[in-house]
Amino acid sequence: VFDMSYMFQCASLKTLNIKSFNTSKVYNMNYMFNRCWISTDEQEENEIDLSDLYNIVIYEGDLTIILREITITSPGLTKVYDGTPLTNGDKNTIQIKGAASLEPGHTLEYDFDESSTITQAGSVINKVTYRVIDGDNNDVTYLYKITENFASLVVTQREITIRTGSKKSTDPVTPLYCDEYEITGGEFFNTYTIEVTGSQTGYGQHTNTYEVTCENKDSYLFKSELGYLS
């Protein structure tokens, strides 16, 4: 939009100010121009070109395109270790905010990433892969500001409680052992072995310790109810 004021005074060079104003808009498929220009037409008969009498100053404004915003939120899930993968294959649980602002002809494609799964105790980001395509299947994701709000998939350790036996002896020379044990809480989801390792020689008392061997041992949290050898 131009606001041009003409002021004529004799024997002086006139100044003509032309301004283009700052403009912003949300991206769409139409083009936005913010230019100012001066063109001269062919001079009609008896018309005098007075352009040289003006000092023309152009102030340029800025063009700003605001990207359309979309937020993608994935759900979080938690379970106790059971030897099976934790995943979320139902894409309907993914929340999309701002999809209605998609440019006509654009489509948002999304699904859970293949890496969004976990079996052993720990956590991973419940990642979503996505892209925006136009009617010709061109990737136009770069035209949007997409915020990722991804939750986590968490597998917690499974608690196992092991109780070992107790035994007493009056023989201070012969080593004292008791290989009895019992699982009093929880269950294993892997093949395992438990070896009772405690021993006592001489007078005194010693706890009857044990060692566990199993696959994915870090996915278990062992609690002990130790007996005594004395």
Side-chain angles (χ1 to χ4, degrees):
V1 177
F2 300 160
D3 183 8
M4 297 186 294
S5 299
Y6 297 88
M7 179 170 56
F8 296 91
Q9 296 179 1
C10 294
S12 64
L13 187 64
K14 311 306 176 188
T15 298
L16 174 61
N17 294 322
I18 301 176
K19 296 183 179 180
S20 65
F21 299 94
N22 296 333
T23 307
S24 65
K25 66 181 292 184
V26 176
Y27 167 79
N28 64 27
M29 295 299 291
N30 299 317
Y31 294 95
M32 178 176 66
F33 296 93
N34 195 25
R35 298 182 186 171
C36 301
W37 69 89
I38 298 175
S39 61
T40 56
D41 297 327
E42 237 180 72
Q43 300 299 316
E44 297 181 0
E45 188 177 355
N46 299 323
E47 186 179 45
I48 301 174
D49 186 351
L50 301 177
S51 300
D52 292 339
L53 299 179
Y54 291 87
N55 177 28
I56 300 176
V57 180
I58 299 177
Y59 301 91
E60 296 184 351
D62 297 322
L63 294 178
T64 303
I65 295 180
I66 303 173
L67 299 180
R68 296 176 184 269
E69 296 188 13
I70 295 175
T71 300
I72 301 177
T73 301
S74 68
L77 295 175
T78 301
K79 75 169 185 176
V80 178
Y81 173 76
D82 62 3
T84 63
L86 174 62
T87 187
N88 189 340
D90 184 5
K91 64 179 293 184
N92 292 325
T93 60
I94 301 173
Q95 297 180 8
I96 307 296
K97 181 179 179 181
S101 69
L102 286 170
E103 179 72 19
H106 288 184
T107 302
L108 175 63
E109 296 182 338
Y110 59 92
D111 205 343
F112 288 106
D113 190 79
E114 292 181 357
S115 65
S116 298
T117 182
I118 185 171
T119 300
Q120 300 185 42
S123 65
V124 296
I125 300 299
N126 198 14
K127 187 178 179 181
V128 175
T129 57
Y130 55 84
R131 67 171 185 157
V132 180
I133 58 172
D134 62 17
D136 296 322
N137 204 39
N138 297 312
D139 191 331
V140 292
T141 309
Y142 65 94
L143 297 176
Y144 294 83
K145 180 182 178 181
I146 298 182
T147 301
E148 300 176 351
N149 185 18
F150 298 160
S152 297
L153 300 176
V154 180
V155 175
T156 61
Q157 290 177 305
R158 178 168 292 275
E159 292 186 1
I160 301 289
T161 302
I162 298 174
R163 176 186 297 164
T164 58
S166 297
K167 184 177 287 189
K168 293 183 178 181
S169 173
T170 57
D171 182 355
V173 178
T174 304
L176 180 62
Y177 303 97
C178 179
D179 59 2
E180 296 175 358
Y181 73 87
E182 179 184 2
I183 298 175
T184 60
E187 61 178 319
F188 283 92
F189 285 86
N190 303 95
T191 301
Y192 69 93
T193 59
I194 297 177
E195 180 184 3
V196 180
T197 58
S199 68
Q200 172 65 31
T201 302
Y203 296 108
Q205 181 176 270
H206 194 279
T207 53
N208 197 13
T209 54
Y210 64 90
E211 289 288 341
V212 177
T213 301
C214 73
E215 185 181 1
N216 299 336
K217 185 176 179 180
D218 289 341
S219 293
Y220 295 93
L221 177 61
F222 296 102
K223 295 187 174 182
S224 303
E225 297 175 350
L226 299 179
Y228 292 93
L229 301 173
S230 58

